[in-house]
Amino acid sequence: MTMLKAKALSVKRHEIKFFISHADYEYARSILAELMERDPNQTNERGYFIRSLYFDDILNTAVEDKLDGIEERDKYRIRVYSPDQQWAKLERKRKHNQFVDKSSVRISRDQAYQMIDGEYDWLLDMESNSARSIFFDLKRRYFRPTAMIDYDREVYLMDYNDIRVTFDMNLRISTEETDLFSDQLEMEQIQRGDTIIMEVKFNHCLPSWFPQIFRLNGTTAQAISKYCLGRMHMREFYSA
């Protein structure tokens, strides 16, 4: 069997999420612009486009585990940053309380379409432990595409403990479309214009001064899932 080389990444990090107001977002980004570097991949100062096609099994385990508060759970998706992109990222996010272990494999456009059609034996041909691990996960249960989520993300980076602050906005969803590379999708808005999702990701710890730079008006961290927000918005699921 011919082994294909694949770019793979496995990262285990802290991940803290908040819903914040647009006013708090504007204040936070003005501070971060002075303290941190913008992601060099941003096409403009307000960020870049992200599209994720999420997969779930026939029991909708990814949604049910999240809504039931299960502390250890998995989520699978294919991600692109432009509809005309010729490659995609296959990702598995494994949540352990506040820790996130993310495995990522770069795949071709054709391989992404094969996954959408339920064919992923080719993952075994990749020289990647992550690819093989994801393959066996997918083979144990019947997975299929369940939701397409588009949004815009603004990113700030700091080398210390690989700190990454993101602001996600303009979330929209389709549960009918599965063409990851289409530029003609009809999407339904999920997120209000005055609400932003802020995520703070880091390896070990934050500097003691770091939380103090945000004036979040008593906002507390929440377990936010864009995938679950989308499925709930389409009235497929309801929170307890």
Side-chain angles (χ1 to χ4, degrees):
M1 179 169 58
T2 301
M3 302 299 290
L4 303 178
K5 290 187 177 180
K7 291 184 178 180
L9 177 68
S10 184
V11 181
K12 186 172 183 178
R13 287 157 60 76
H14 294 270
E15 186 175 282
I16 308 172
K17 302 181 182 182
F18 305 85
F19 281 120
I20 66 174
S21 69
H22 197 275
D24 285 335
Y25 154 68
E26 291 290 355
Y27 171 78
R29 73 182 298 273
S30 68
I31 299 297
L32 294 178
E34 300 296 326
L35 298 175
M36 303 175 70
E37 299 292 330
R38 285 196 176 94
D39 187 331
N41 295 311
Q42 290 189 184
T43 55
N44 59 63
E45 67 173 16
R46 292 288 176 168
Y48 53 84
F49 169 83
I50 294 178
R51 169 174 290 167
S52 295
L53 178 60
Y54 289 89
F55 290 72
D56 213 335
D57 61 22
I58 57 175
L59 300 177
N60 290 299
T61 300
V63 182
E64 296 286 3
D65 283 357
K66 171 66 174 63
L67 296 179
D68 289 343
I70 304 300
E71 293 182 345
E72 296 189 4
R73 56 186 185 271
D74 294 342
K75 188 162 49 183
Y76 303 84
R77 68 192 180 205
I78 306 177
R79 171 168 287 184
V80 296
Y81 302 94
S82 171
D84 61 3
Q85 195 170 297
Q86 296 303 307
W87 58 274
K89 286 201 301 186
L90 169 61
E91 296 182 333
R92 177 186 62 200
K93 289 189 71 175
R94 181 156 283 167
K95 190 74 181 286
H96 307 269
N97 299 317
Q98 199 181 78
F99 290 98
V100 174
D101 184 1
K102 184 168 74 173
S103 299
S104 178
V105 181
R106 180 164 168 160
I107 64 176
S108 70
R109 191 180 180 115
D110 287 342
Q111 289 168 333
Y113 276 126
Q114 289 179 56
M115 278 208 66
I116 293 168
D117 290 337
E119 301 172 8
Y120 28 77
D121 287 358
W122 49 267
L123 284 166
L124 290 176
D125 296 334
M126 288 187 162
E127 198 174 64
S128 161
N129 290 332
S130 294
R132 290 190 285 274
S133 177
I134 292 172
F135 167 80
F136 288 115
D137 284 353
L138 298 176
K139 290 295 282 188
R140 283 189 298 111
R141 306 194 303 271
Y142 176 70
F143 277 79
R144 82 287 188 207
T146 51
M148 190 93 72
I149 304 285
D150 288 358
Y151 59 96
D152 303 309
R153 166 169 285 181
E154 185 176 348
V155 184
Y156 293 88
L157 309 171
M158 179 181 287
D159 287 340
Y160 177 83
N161 275 326
D162 196 14
I163 298 172
R164 177 181 174 93
V165 180
T166 64
F167 300 100
D168 295 338
M169 58 207 84
N170 194 24
L171 267 69
R172 45 223 188 264
I173 184 173
S174 172
T175 57
E176 302 295 329
E177 303 283 353
T178 61
D179 189 348
L180 189 67
F181 301 97
S182 172
D183 59 0
Q184 302 294 324
L185 298 185
E186 293 187 10
M187 310 292 285
E188 184 168 336
Q189 198 75 20
I190 302 172
Q191 191 177 12
R192 288 169 34 187
D194 60 350
T195 302
I196 310 292
I197 298 173
M198 184 178 80
E199 298 185 20
V200 181
K201 304 175 185 179
F202 55 97
N203 285 346
H204 303 291
C205 63
L206 292 170
S208 59
W209 52 264
F210 195 85
Q212 307 305 317
I213 67 176
F214 301 107
R215 295 190 307 212
L216 298 181
N217 299 325
T219 301
T220 57
Q222 300 185 49
I224 301 168
S225 164
K226 299 178 190 70
Y227 172 56
C228 287
L229 287 175
R231 298 291 300 272
M232 291 168 64
H233 176 83
M234 302 305 287
R235 302 185 183 280
E236 296 177 283
F237 293 87
Y238 300 89
S239 60

